[in-house]
Amino acid sequence: MVKHLNAIPTKHAKLVKWVEEWAELCEPNGIYWCDGTNTEYYALCEEMVQSGLATRLNSKLRPDCVLFRSDPSDVARVEARTYIASEKQEDAGPTNNWIAPAELKATMRELYKGCMHGRTMYVIPYSMGPVGSNIAKIGVEITDSAYVVINMHVMTRVGNKVLEVLGDDGEFVPCIHSVGKPLENGESDNGIWPCAPMEKKYIAQFPETREIWSYGSGYGGNAILGKKCLALRIATVQARDEGWMAEHMLILKLTNPEGKVKYVTGAFPSACGKTNLAMLIPTIEGWKVETVGDDIAWMKFGKDGRLYAINPENGFFGVAPGTSMQSNKNAMLSCRQETIFTNCALRENGDIWWEGIDIDLEPGEKLIDWKGNVWEAGQVDADGKPVKAAHPNARFSARGRNCPAIAPNWEDPAGVPIDAFLFGGRRPSTLPLVYQSLSWEHGVMIGSSVGSEVTAAALDVKAGTVRRDPFAMLPFCGYHMADYFAHWLEIGKVAGAKLPKIFCVNWFRKTADGRWLWPGFGDNSRVLKWIFERCDGEGKAQETAIGYMPTEDAIDRTGLDSVSDADMKELLALDVEGWKKEVASIREHYAKFGDKMPKELLAQLDALEARLAKC
Ligand code: SAT
Ligand code: MN
């Protein structure tokens, strides 16, 4: 029997048995039950600082902040090693990796055998969503990484309050995590956490039994299992079965100068400024944006037929590079204190630094880069390529409560009633700045065909190709994507539903010679204003083949000199030829889902094509 290092804080027999069985397999030194207190958080930070795994930052410049560096191979989610292990492959669908659950469990059990030698096994009871909210769900993560424990403290709600809600026999999602077997020569002594080689990493979701097994990575969504694994992959399956929605969406609160409030959620593929939009500072007089969440929304119908959303998370796991006081002041202030930094660079003064932080270094200043090497501005590698001080996917894990823009009611267990859904991607051409769907079904078609244009440099594809990322859920849907489309259509048929209006936005339009047509950032509030008005049945619009578009004078440009009348015309023009190509491209995208593709969406696409033919 593996010993418990502290008192077992629960009488939940099934939970205790499950923990002890995994301890038998993983063979840690002992089992420690996390209580979620600050004392625990800081003790673990201190332990990791002492062992050399973490660096404490300057307590004046970054109070209560620590910096971690990962193995250079363990820097992001690993989609190629992520599995939806449903009983039938068909249920995982064409967009997910699949291995039969029995086979995958046998493989992984071998890996877990003795994998925690010399380590503590932490048990983390956590709630996704305000503790006790009827929209929230409970998970319990077992991990051998103290870095994961402190990240779970920031990103979820951890501890005894959760066990109280769970009671003696409540339902929880069991989540197993290990960074992988210790190396032959013992634990890492070079200040990075251990991990397994790529071919031994597995991020596995078992949708039927609602389990998560993760092995071999200590990074982000691979290891902080409440986030993408539970709150999206497992939750999408629960939501389908229980009639609610688990979405990869930000949630923002929009208040007009008269004090009237609307709540908006939005799904965007990565690198489209989702966190920036969630924390936007409006450039129009009297308008206010407050943050409810920046990544995930869980929504259930209220008695009034409206969809109420909670943010299942407790913090922000934000991409650091590119974040500055200029691009996202609220994010910068959120990570001023009590923040965990990963793979950022370290300054001589004990502060962090990254590309695009907009803070000048001292002349000749030497940093420690994310690999632990000395770094200087202008440094190039053997091939003459610039060396980055921070990894491009370097992160800050910041507490929601430290965000100056956090909405006072962001933790309301009842959630907030949603007025509008936004979908968007990076589309330099064709898609206008904003348009509104003609109906729910038409809006579902828009969501199902979300995409971003990729550059030839980024991926092994032709420049100008659109990478489709339906509902920004491609790596996060726990079942067949076409069945998920069908679930969206089902939501539209719920009796008495008062559904949000659906909009498509595109901040990324360029002219033919490559100039940005729209300034983005705070000026996106101008588009939010039109959306707000449309939700009230106001806002000037015209019905076009693709949906309701703002008239050329409908978007408030007060004080915005950089967008001329001609630019506005271009931003809101209907590019019929471009749209005909778009229809063909969506048709190809839909073909990948075969027979499961809902007929209603194909009919929506046909109808769009027919409308365009008449233009
Ligand atoms: O690593 S996470 O999955 O948490 C963040 C992301 O890649 O979107
Ligand atoms: Mn995300």
Side-chain angles (χ1 to χ4, degrees):
M1 273 288 273
V2 179
K3 64 176 181 294
H4 289 266
L5 301 173
N6 57 350
I8 302 173
T10 175
K11 295 203 172 62
H12 197 300
K14 204 173 139 203
L15 168 57
V16 177
K17 181 162 174 273
W18 170 76
V19 168
E20 290 178 344
E21 278 171 5
W22 277 93
E24 288 306 309
L25 182 65
C26 300
E27 300 172 359
N29 281 352
I31 302 166
Y32 172 81
W33 292 79
C34 299
D35 62 13
T37 57
N38 272 340
T39 312
E40 172 177 283
Y41 180 88
Y42 288 112
L44 287 173
C45 286
E46 183 55 29
E47 217 172 88
M48 289 187 280
V49 168
Q50 291 304 327
S51 75
L53 196 61
T55 305
R56 189 177 300 292
L57 298 173
N58 181 317
S59 63
K60 289 213 176 62
L61 301 171
R62 297 276 160 193
D64 301 318
C65 291
V66 278
L67 169 67
F68 289 83
R69 285 190 273 273
S70 76
D71 188 279
S73 70
D74 202 22
V75 293
R77 279 184 295 102
V78 282
E79 290 181 17
R81 306 297 305 167
T82 300
Y83 295 87
I84 299 298
S86 43
E87 290 295 336
K88 288 196 256 155
Q89 178 163 13
E90 190 195 359
D91 292 334
T95 57
N96 285 314
N97 300 312
W98 178 85
I99 297 177
E103 182 190 336
L104 183 54
K105 285 189 169 177
T107 306
M108 292 186 74
R109 247 193 213 102
E110 279 307 307
L111 294 168
Y112 282 121
K113 235 179 230 169
C115 72
M116 296 189 184
H117 277 179
R119 301 184 188 138
T120 300
M121 175 191 264
Y122 301 95
V123 183
I124 316 166
Y126 67 95
S127 173
M128 294 313 284
V131 179
S133 158
N134 80 322
I135 314 179
K137 295 265 179 202
I138 290 175
V140 181
E141 176 165 352
I142 287 173
T143 180
D144 54 3
S145 161
Y147 166 80
V148 167
V149 177
I150 61 167
N151 269 282
M152 288 293 285
H153 268 243
V154 174
M155 296 305 299
T156 75
R157 292 157 177 98
V158 172
N160 295 342
K161 306 177 296 279
V162 178
L163 289 176
E164 269 164 42
V165 173
L166 189 63
D168 295 351
D169 58 0
E171 206 183 289
F172 67 96
V173 176
C175 313
I176 325 291
H177 171 255
S178 170
V179 290
K181 282 194 177 54
L183 306 169
E184 295 291 301
N185 57 357
E187 290 291 27
S188 143
D189 52 4
N190 53 354
I192 56 176
W193 66 71
C195 67
M198 197 53 91
E199 70 281 4
K200 291 212 171 115
K201 291 191 210 289
Y202 288 93
I203 319 302
Q205 282 73 202
F206 301 93
E208 282 99 356
T209 50
R210 317 255 202 268
E211 291 170 277
I212 300 163
W213 290 22
S214 165
Y215 183 89
S217 168
Y219 202 91
N222 302 331
I224 304 164
L225 300 182
K227 194 172 173 64
K228 308 296 187 179
C229 301
L230 192 157
L232 290 174
R233 297 195 193 100
I234 294 296
T236 45
V237 176
Q238 296 175 311
R240 175 198 62 192
D241 294 351
E242 299 166 8
W244 52 283
M245 305 176 88
E247 300 301 325
H248 191 202
M249 286 177 161
L250 65 88
I251 311 168
L252 66 81
K253 178 178 184 179
L254 184 60
T255 307
N256 78 359
E258 288 74 52
K260 207 165 162 191
V261 171
K262 304 241 179 270
Y263 292 95
V264 177
T265 67
F268 298 81
S270 56
C272 288
K274 203 165 123 193
T275 301
N276 293 348
L277 181 62
M279 299 181 185
L280 166 153
I281 300 171
T283 52
I284 39 177
E285 261 313 290
W287 286 74
K288 189 155 81 179
V289 168
E290 289 165 298
T291 315
V292 177
D294 81 326
D295 198 34
I296 300 173
W298 283 357
M299 291 172 276
K300 271 191 185 167
F301 283 109
K303 289 201 179 69
D304 58 1
R306 301 184 70 186
L307 277 171
Y308 284 77
I310 60 161
N311 169 10
E313 301 193 278
N314 192 36
F316 312 112
F317 188 62
V319 177
T323 307
S324 67
M325 289 302 272
Q326 198 53 34
S327 68
N328 192 339
K329 184 176 171 186
N330 288 318
M332 284 305 281
L333 295 175
S334 305
C335 64
R336 246 245 346 137
Q337 66 270 298
E338 299 185 300
T339 298
I340 305 162
F341 294 92
T342 306
N343 289 339
C344 300
L346 177 66
R347 293 188 68 178
E348 282 172 350
N349 65 2
D351 200 357
I352 39 77
W353 194 85
W354 51 70
E355 279 72 17
I357 197 172
D358 243 354
I359 293 174
D360 293 335
L361 299 171
E362 300 294 328
E365 182 175 346
K366 292 192 171 42
L367 309 190
I368 305 295
D369 71 13
W370 71 276
K371 289 182 174 168
N373 299 322
V374 175
W375 180 97
E376 226 177 311
Q379 193 168 316
V380 291
D381 65 12
D383 302 327
K385 283 216 291 287
V387 175
K388 293 216 188 306
H391 187 275
N393 192 35
R395 298 276 173 161
F396 56 82
S397 318
R399 293 173 193 261
R401 63 160 193 251
N402 286 335
C403 178
I406 203 79
N409 58 336
W410 77 291
E411 299 192 276
D412 187 340
V416 295
I418 302 303
D419 297 285
F421 286 159
L422 313 187
F423 296 117
R426 277 182 182 263
R427 301 297 303 269
S429 65
T430 314
L431 271 65
L433 176 63
V434 57
Y435 68 97
Q436 182 187 348
S437 79
L438 296 168
S439 64
W440 178 263
E441 292 73 19
H442 178 222
V444 175
M445 183 189 85
I446 294 171
S448 69
S449 53
V450 162
S452 263
E453 207 163 284
V454 287
T455 57
L459 284 171
D460 191 18
V461 286
K462 240 176 39 212
T465 306
V466 177
R467 182 185 187 252
R468 300 280 165 195
D469 184 354
F471 297 89
M473 284 290 280
L474 201 54
F476 305 123
C477 186
Y479 59 102
H480 197 298
M481 188 61 89
D483 289 338
Y484 166 82
F485 297 166
H487 180 58
W488 265 83
L489 291 165
E490 282 304 311
I491 289 287
K493 292 178 195 143
V494 168
K498 294 198 184 69
L499 297 162
K501 304 240 182 313
I502 300 179
F503 298 83
C504 181
V505 296
N506 177 20
W507 321 128
F508 300 95
R509 276 296 295 271
K510 283 183 174 176
T511 56
D513 56 3
R515 177 174 63 87
W516 293 113
L517 275 165
W518 183 250
F521 299 100
D523 286 313
N524 291 337
S525 57
R526 299 166 189 278
V527 175
L528 292 179
K529 178 180 173 183
W530 184 75
I531 289 169
F532 186 110
E533 292 164 352
R534 291 299 295 165
C535 289
D536 278 342
E538 296 159 10
K540 284 203 235 164
Q542 54 196 345
E543 187 173 339
T544 74
I546 62 165
Y548 299 106
M549 288 233 261
T551 52
E552 276 160 34
D553 59 344
I555 306 281
D556 184 348
R557 276 187 294 149
T558 315
L560 181 67
D561 299 332
S562 64
V563 180
S564 67
D565 291 348
D567 288 345
M568 205 63 218
K569 218 181 167 92
E570 192 170 345
L571 279 162
L572 296 175
L574 177 59
D575 171 7
V576 176
E577 288 317 303
W579 268 97
K580 285 182 180 165
K581 290 198 191 106
E582 180 72 7
V583 168
S585 153
I586 296 173
R587 222 176 263 297
E588 264 177 49
H589 160 63
Y590 279 177
K592 298 195 182 112
F593 303 108
D595 296 347
K596 285 220 179 213
M597 194 59 213
K599 303 279 169 296
E600 288 104 313
L601 292 185
L602 295 167
Q604 281 294 331
L605 191 57
D606 291 341
L608 171 61
E609 189 169 43
R611 292 193 300 270
L612 287 165
K614 285 197 220 123
C615 289

